[in-house]
Amino acid sequence: SGNQRRVRQRKKVDMKKPVAVAVANPSPEKPSLLDSYDDYHEEIELMDDSRLFGPEDPKKLSDNLPARLYGCKWKLIYSTFQHGISSSTLLRASRECGGSSILIIKDYNGYVFGAFASHPWNNPEPKFYGNGECFLFTLHPEFVVYRWSNKNGYCQMIENNRIIMGGGSGIFGLWLDEDLLSGTTQPCETFDNPVLSHESHFKVFGMELWGFHDGP
C-alpha cells in the first residue's frame, strides 16, 4: 500500500566486505551472521514512515535482532512527531502492542542512538527485567551495537515513567526523563557501552518506538 516502505535485504554475504560496521560483545546465543542471512525474510517491511531512520538503518539493525522476529513487519507505535511528548503515551502504546520494541532517539547534536528491548515497557514494579536479547546501539554518526555483556541482569526498567536500559555501580546506559525532553547515557556494565551521544547529558530532538507485527 501507499504507506508501506520496503527495504531490500541482501541474501548473500560478501566475505570480503563485512556487513556490520561494528558489534560489541557478540552473544553466543545469537545466530551467526551467515545463519541470519540464510534464514531471513527477503524484505524488511516498514508499515509507517520514519523521521529518524536513515535508508540503511533498518537493514543494519535487523541483522542483530532475535531470530523470532525475522520476517515481522515493523510498525511505528509511538513518535514524538505524531503523538506529542508524553512518556505515558509511549508506555501505553508499548503495553497495547506487546512484545519487543526498538527505541530510537535523535538529540540536538544530530546523534541518533537507542535500544532494543526484549519485553514491553509495562512492568509496574520499579525493578529490572528483560533478558540478554536486549542491546544498545548507535546509528549516527557510526553504527555500533552493544550487546548484553553477561555481567549483570540490569537490562530494562521503568521507574516513575522514566525509561532505563542497562546499569551497574549506580549509573545507567540509557536513562530518559519522564518528560522525554532529556536524558543521560553513561558507560554501563550491562552492555559495556560508551556514552551513546555527543555527551552524557542530552536533549531529545525526536523519538520513535517501533514494534513488530507478524500478521498480514
Side-chain angles (χ1 to χ4, degrees):
S1 62
N3 70 333
Q4 290 183 344
R5 292 180 174 268
R6 292 173 181 257
V7 181
R8 179 65 60 179
Q9 179 72 39
R10 289 174 295 180
K11 289 281 287 184
K12 296 182 179 180
V13 176
D14 182 355
M15 298 305 292
K16 297 179 181 179
K17 184 181 293 185
V19 173
V21 175
V23 175
N25 311 325
S27 168
E29 300 177 359
K30 172 69 172 58
S32 70
L33 184 64
L34 289 176
D35 289 341
S36 300
Y37 273 94
D38 288 342
D39 298 336
Y40 199 17
H41 194 269
E42 267 193 37
E43 294 176 342
I44 304 161
E45 187 170 331
L46 303 187
M47 300 178 68
D48 306 279
D49 292 330
S50 172
R51 296 278 297 273
L52 301 181
F53 273 141
E56 300 297 317
D57 290 340
K59 288 197 296 185
K60 294 175 181 177
L61 284 172
S62 67
D63 187 54
N64 294 279
L65 297 179
R68 60 184 173 82
L69 297 176
Y70 291 175
C72 290
K73 299 175 183 179
W74 296 25
K75 181 174 179 58
L76 182 64
I77 58 177
Y78 172 80
S79 167
T80 55
F81 306 104
Q82 296 182 22
H83 306 108
I85 302 173
S86 169
S87 60
S88 296
T89 303
L90 184 154
L91 296 175
R92 183 173 64 252
S94 177
R95 181 173 63 251
E96 292 175 354
C97 179
S100 304
S101 61
I102 294 178
L103 179 68
I104 308 173
I105 302 161
K106 183 175 183 178
D107 68 14
Y108 275 93
N109 287 308
Y111 281 63
V112 183
F113 51 95
F116 171 78
S118 61
H119 289 64
W121 292 103
N122 64 354
N123 190 0
E125 298 183 25
K127 64 179 182 180
F128 280 102
Y129 63 107
N131 61 38
E133 294 177 343
C134 295
F135 60 81
L136 297 177
F137 61 84
T138 57
L139 291 177
H140 184 79
E142 181 183 20
F143 173 67
V144 186
V145 168
Y146 301 97
R147 294 193 182 282
W148 180 52
S149 68
N150 204 21
K151 293 180 179 178
N152 61 43
Y154 305 152
C155 293
Q156 59 181 107
M157 179 170 68
I158 306 167
E159 183 181 29
N160 297 324
N161 280 6
R162 298 178 178 93
I163 294 173
I164 300 170
M165 290 284 295
S169 303
I171 60 175
F172 304 115
L174 180 62
W175 181 93
L176 287 170
D177 201 358
E178 59 184 332
D179 58 14
L180 300 185
L181 295 174
S182 61
T184 62
T185 169
Q186 296 177 287
C188 77
E189 297 175 357
T190 312
F191 303 109
D192 279 342
N193 61 284
V195 170
L196 303 176
S197 181
H198 178 65
E199 52 191 13
S200 60
H201 294 269
F202 60 87
K203 297 292 184 181
V204 176
F205 171 80
M207 185 182 307
E208 295 177 348
L209 185 69
W210 289 79
F212 300 92
H213 179 67
D214 59 1

